């Protein structure tokens, strides 16, 4: 979750990807359609290029979006290495990448 204020959005009962499918209460998208909308936005606005998206928002070599996510407190750094990610990703990473260290300490 970002620390900057975002507008409150209200689900409308219709999928936000533009397919017009009806969705359940509290949902913005039909199953999987969040990724459809994400890909369509990336294609329409940035030529399907993540590099173009990052550049448009001021990120790239020398200004890391990953470091920004850590600074904003929405991502974390693994305490055992340089890996960064969402809190749940850190847990999964630590289980896989540092399992032997955990076993050795026990």
């Amino acid at each position: 979750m970002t620390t900057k204020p975002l507008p409150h959005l209200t689900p409308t009962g219709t999928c936000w990807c533009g397919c017009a499918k009806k969705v359940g209460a509290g949902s913005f998208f039909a199953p999987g359609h969040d990724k459809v909308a994400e890909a369509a936005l990336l294609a329409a606005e940035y030529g399907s290029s993540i590099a173009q998206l990052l550049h448009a928002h001021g990120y790239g070599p020398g200004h890391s979006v990953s470091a920004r996510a850590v600074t904003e407190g929405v991502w974390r750094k693994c305490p055992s290495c340089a890996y960064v990610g969402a809190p749940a990703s850190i847990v999964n990473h630590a289980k896989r990448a540092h399992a032997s260290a955990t076993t050795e300490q026990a």
Side-chain angles (χ1 to χ4, degrees):
M1 187 101 197
T2 182
T3 57
K4 69 180 177 182
L6 296 174
H8 175 74
L9 303 176
T10 304
T12 62
T14 303
C15 183
W16 279 37
C17 85
C19 72
K21 285 189 177 188
K22 298 297 177 200
V23 296
S27 295
F28 289 97
F29 299 99
H33 289 213
D34 56 332
K35 292 298 180 183
V36 170
E38 181 180 47
L41 176 64
L42 187 63
E45 297 291 331
Y46 303 104
S48 296
S49 170
I50 298 295
Q52 291 292 337
L53 168 71
L54 292 172
H55 174 75
H57 290 274
Y59 298 105
H63 190 220
S64 168
V65 68
S66 299
R68 169 81 187 276
V70 172
T71 300
E72 292 290 321
V74 294
W75 271 18
R76 301 218 169 87
K77 182 181 176 302
C78 175
S80 301
C81 69
Y83 180 87
V84 296
S89 294
I90 296 294
V91 170
N92 290 333
H93 159 78
K95 286 179 186 174
R96 288 189 204 112
H98 306 298
S100 62
T102 305
T103 306
E104 291 169 9
Q105 292 174 357

